[in-house]
Amino acid sequence: MDRTPLIAGNWKMYKTVKEAVELVEALLAHIGQPSDREVLVCPPFTALYPLSPLLAESPIALGAQDVFYESQGAYTGAISPLMLQDIGCSYVIVGHSERRQYFGDDDTLVNRKLHAALAHGLHPIMCVGESKPQRDAGQATAIVTAQVRAGLAEVTVEQMRSVVIAYEPIWAIGTGDTATPDDAQTMHAAIRQTLTELFDATTANGVRIQYGGSVKPDNVDELMAQPDIDGALVGGASLKAESFLRIIQFH
Ligand code: PGA
């Protein structure tokens, strides 16, 4: 099954509008017309609207880093999937470990957000990943596959075609401590097996599973060479055009 790799930049809480525009202009100046891979940037909410016209008709898609689950209402501070769709977003990250850690997003909330994104035609990128103590205790696969099952509750085969999963071991995020390609591949295969059990083999084989956690220019090639790694969710190295462009150009 052909899965078009998806290289995504998660800018987290970085970049003013001016800085965001400069980064996107630098990316667009050098990206060319990649045909065998998809590229996505997920800037902070404040930069989405100004970036939208720059990215329309470009090879770079626009996504948000989070979303609330209602389309409108008295929810102070929240951003709805309708609003994201309205300004040209096509993707949204849900369940990032930093959301789980600092904002209390649990599997139930992640599942609600994922359904809300799907209902508005957005592709959710659902993040899962274990902590270091969980890995050391031999629980990594159990934790991650349980997150996959809970986060995908009530998702149909049809909807699953729009979903991307990102395996991001928490201990690898922002630490420079990447999972080895073998360990990442093992987890990606376990996630795909879980998708086969939840849906069917054809559906599971069509789902893109990204790896995230200290993806850099010097490790992207060996990660992307793994059969079940279908892309990267890149934090720190997506904040500079030079390093993100090199990651986009993985081979
Ligand atoms: P990192 O972040 O590349 O800086 O480790 C990845 C992420 O959190 O998505």
Side-chain angles (χ1 to χ4, degrees), residues 28-51:
L28 289 174
H30 296 102
I31 193 169
Q33 292 291 339
S35 56
D36 59 350
R37 56 202 69 196
E38 271 184 59
V39 180
L40 166 70
V41 291
C42 298
F45 285 128
T46 46
L48 291 173
Y49 188 56
L51 290 183

Side-chain angles (χ1 to χ4, degrees), residues 10 12 93 96-98 127 168 172-176 212-216 233-238:
N10 170 14
K12 308 194 180 186
I93 299 169
H96 191 280
S97 64
E98 287 150 16
C127 301
E168 298 206 305
I173 295 177
T175 58
S214 297
V215 176
K216 307 283 179 212
L233 184 54
V234 186
S238 74

Side-chain angles (χ1 to χ4, degrees), residues 1 20 24 84 86-87 95-96 140 153 164 172 183 198 217 224 232 240 244:
M1 167 79 64
V24 154
L84 296 180
D86 178 49
I87 60 163
H96 191 280
V164 176
D183 283 349
L198 285 174
M224 290 304 297
K240 289 212 167 76
F244 193 52

